[in-house]
Amino acid sequence: MFSVEAKKRAAKEAVKFVDDGFVVGVGSGTTVSLILSELAAAGKKIVIIPASWQSYYEAIELGLMVSSLDQHPFPDVYLDSFDQVTRDGAMIKGGGGAMVREKVLASASRNRVFVGDHGKLVEKLRRPVPLEIIPFAYKFVENRLREKGVKLVMRTSQAKNGPTVSDNGNIIGDADFGEIDEPARVEKFLKEIPGVVESGVFLGLVDTLIIAHDYGKIERLTFR
């Protein structure tokens, strides 16, 4: 299991990519919470663009300056975690349901750094793929996936009755493709289904991967 200490080391490594005066895009989740804490502790003059309300409020509480893509359309660096990744940089994200805004921020940023533990580094992606789906189209999307032998499970929350709703007001579901041999083909298929806003398949969106190991090693993979 990925220890808190290893997460902290990974967060410290990610913060090394941030210089004074940077505009920093951030994702969401427990590792990103640690990254935000490290950024606040570093005392650098930076601006944060958060991908979720969770990260927004955490940044505010830490005293960090928060802005938006409207004001800063090309962040200097994007820092985030992942749910699963291969050594060629193909990722599955969206465990927290914020993958649409995360993908937008990653795409807009000049440098993209993703952090995770060695247990999430795999030969082939095999986690269910998170999808953000407009409510009107949910059943249609479910049927379209079923035709291809893919099961879609509507995500629910322990804190509320009914489906998990994204920051954009859409429904989050998880599509189980089993072991994914061709992530690009899966992403293309999902993008062609009307009603699917975005998928958690992230391709070509990482410049540096930081892989933390419990015994202290930090592995860095670069893609440019």
Side-chain angles (χ1 to χ4, degrees):
M1 186 176 178
F2 195 31
S3 69
V4 174
E5 290 74 19
K7 280 189 177 185
K8 288 180 179 179
R9 286 197 302 272
K12 286 179 181 291
E13 191 72 16
V15 170
K16 292 178 181 178
F17 288 82
V18 178
D19 290 331
D20 210 44
F22 267 24
V23 176
V24 183
V26 297
S28 59
T30 56
T31 302
V32 171
S33 297
L34 292 171
I35 289 172
L36 287 169
S37 294
E38 291 293 336
L39 287 170
K44 296 177 182 178
K45 294 181 180 179
I46 59 173
V47 174
I48 300 293
I49 301 180
S52 69
W53 286 112
Q54 175 202 6
S55 298
Y56 171 85
Y57 286 115
E58 287 178 351
I60 292 293
E61 287 295 320
L62 289 165
L64 294 165
M65 184 179 294
V66 175
S67 189
S68 69
L69 275 178
D70 294 330
Q71 294 162 308
H72 301 280
F74 304 106
D76 296 288
V77 65
Y78 177 72
L79 306 178
D80 203 352
S81 58
F82 53 81
D83 298 322
Q84 204 167 64
V85 69
T86 63
R87 286 195 172 271
D88 61 0
M91 288 184 289
I92 289 179
K93 285 181 51 57
M99 62 278 185
V100 173
R101 297 188 184 193
E102 289 170 345
K103 191 174 280 191
V104 170
L105 267 177
S107 298
S109 299
R110 295 186 173 95
N111 188 20
R112 291 76 58 94
V113 181
F114 288 84
V115 175
D117 72 273
H118 61 93
K120 297 178 180 178
L121 180 63
V122 296
E123 289 187 15
K124 291 184 180 181
L125 300 175
R126 54 180 177 269
R127 285 178 62 98
V129 177
L131 303 179
E132 181 163 331
I133 304 165
I134 63 172
F136 178 77
Y138 187 88
K139 201 65 183 177
F140 166 76
V141 173
E142 183 181 41
N143 290 335
R144 181 63 63 88
L145 288 171
R146 185 185 295 116
E147 290 171 0
K148 298 293 184 180
V150 178
K151 183 179 180 181
L152 178 66
V153 176
M154 183 182 290
R155 197 181 296 182
T156 57
S157 172
Q158 294 180 347
K160 68 180 288 292
N161 294 324
T164 298
V165 177
S166 75
D167 289 338
N168 307 309
N170 296 310
I171 295 175
I172 302 296
D174 296 286
D176 192 351
F177 287 83
E179 193 170 85
I180 299 175
D181 294 316
E182 300 178 80
R185 189 172 180 177
V186 169
E187 185 186 34
K188 182 176 183 295
F189 165 64
L190 291 170
K191 283 183 175 295
E192 291 176 349
I193 302 176
V196 174
V197 178
E198 190 54 85
S199 83
V201 179
F202 279 52
L203 301 177
L205 289 174
V206 56
D207 297 306
T208 302
L209 272 179
I210 296 171
I211 309 296
H213 299 260
D214 266 337
Y215 50 84
K217 177 184 174 182
I218 295 290
E219 184 178 3
R220 185 185 289 191
L221 303 175
T222 57
F223 297 89
R224 72 169 182 179

